[in-house]
């Protein structure tokens, strides 16, 4: 649950410090072995921020060695930018998933609760591309950012992620019903997205 950000919509209600009840390394290894027996299509390490665990890449290596396909969903913090993206790839991460919840610096940083998050996310996308990592960008649509949808589309054409996953806000954790976008606006946006997919 540990994360250096303070996102308004956080479903896990992440906190600045690691939860004392989180899995220890031995328990995490046992879980990876159990997951390997189930053979899921993908193991996604998320949080909070998975890089808040010092053994995150050790777990990636162990999962990869067990035959699992691993994706990493870190928070766009200084910790991420201080990481070696080549090492992340070499550990076995196949895809990095990053969040952009504002098409502008102001909107995204307000959503994430920490100044500079937008710029760090853009830099992380470029560094992941340079390291040969597949990039997925996740966007949560809310009443506060739906008006930026056209700008979001333009940004995706610039960043060229392998996948752009668009979600509707779930009113749980720190997110409230008042943050939900108007249903008619959502319908218009998804019709627009369907038209984009049809042209692809």
């Amino acid at each position: 649950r540990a994360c250096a950000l303070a996102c308004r919509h956080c479903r896990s209600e992440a906190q600045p410090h690691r939860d004392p009840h989180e899995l220890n390394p031995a328990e995490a290894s046992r879980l990876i072995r159990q997951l390997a027996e189930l053979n899921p299509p993908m193991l996604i390490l998320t949080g909070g921020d998975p890089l808040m665990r010092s053994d995150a890449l050790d777990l990636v290596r162990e999962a990869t060695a067990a035959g699992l396909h691993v994706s990493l969903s870190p928070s766009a913090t200084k910790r991420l930018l201080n990481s070696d993206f080549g090492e992340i790839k070499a550990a076995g991460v196949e895809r990095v998933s990053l969040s952009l919840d504002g098409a502008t610096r102001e909107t995204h940083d307000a959503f994430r609760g920490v100044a500079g998050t937008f710029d760090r996310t853009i830099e992380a996308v470029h560094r992941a591309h340079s390291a040969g990592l597949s990039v997925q960008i996740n966007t949560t649509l809310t009443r506060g950012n739906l008006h930026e949808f056209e700008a979001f589309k333009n940004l995706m054409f610039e960043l060229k992620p392998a996948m752009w996953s668009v979600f509707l806000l779930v009113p749980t954790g720190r997110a409230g019903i008042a943050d939900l976008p108007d249903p008619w606006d959502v319908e218009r946006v998804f019709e627009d997205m369907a038209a984009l997919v049809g042209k692809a």
Side-chain angles (χ1 to χ4, degrees):
R1 291 179 61 193
C3 183
L5 302 182
C7 305
R8 291 178 54 190
H9 74 300
C10 185
R11 287 179 286 186
S12 62
E13 298 186 64
Q15 57 196 21
H17 306 289
R18 291 168 58 175
D19 192 306
H21 302 295
E22 75 178 18
L23 299 182
N24 63 38
E27 291 167 336
S29 293
R30 185 164 65 248
L31 177 60
I32 286 171
R33 291 194 299 272
Q34 292 170 340
L35 288 171
E37 292 177 7
L38 297 173
N39 193 30
M42 179 72 72
L43 170 63
I44 303 172
L45 300 183
T46 184
D49 183 0
L51 292 183
M52 293 289 276
R53 284 188 67 122
S54 60
D55 63 347
L57 293 187
D58 292 332
L59 297 178
V60 170
R61 293 183 189 99
E62 187 170 348
T64 301
L68 292 167
H69 299 281
V70 183
S71 177
L72 188 69
S73 183
S75 298
T77 64
K78 291 179 181 178
R79 180 184 300 267
L80 174 61
L81 294 188
N82 288 334
S83 300
D84 183 333
F85 281 67
E87 182 183 6
I88 291 172
K89 180 176 173 58
V93 172
E94 297 181 16
R95 175 169 287 181
V96 171
S97 171
L98 297 162
S99 294
L100 270 176
D101 299 302
T104 64
R105 183 177 291 108
E106 293 74 21
T107 308
H108 180 78
D109 287 2
F111 194 87
R112 292 281 155 182
V114 176
T117 307
F118 180 86
D119 291 334
R120 284 191 290 272
T121 302
I122 300 300
E123 183 176 346
V125 169
H126 292 310
R127 289 180 61 181
H129 281 316
S130 295
L133 283 161
S134 176
V135 175
Q136 174 176 327
I137 294 179
N138 300 325
T139 298
T140 300
L141 294 179
T142 71
R143 186 177 296 274
N145 67 6
L146 196 63
H147 67 282
E148 293 186 340
F149 185 70
E150 286 299 318
F152 271 123
K153 288 195 303 184
N154 293 333
L155 189 56
M156 293 308 119
F157 283 120
E158 291 176 21
L159 297 176
K160 296 180 171 51
M163 178 183 291
W164 180 30
S165 291
V166 179
F167 305 92
L168 284 178
L169 177 133
V170 177
T172 187
R174 290 196 285 260
I177 290 181
D179 298 314
L180 285 171
D182 183 276
W184 299 111
D185 291 333
V186 171
E187 183 178 10
R188 175 182 51 79
V189 163
F190 279 100
E191 285 175 353
D192 192 358
M193 289 188 68
L196 271 179
V197 171
K199 293 176 184 177

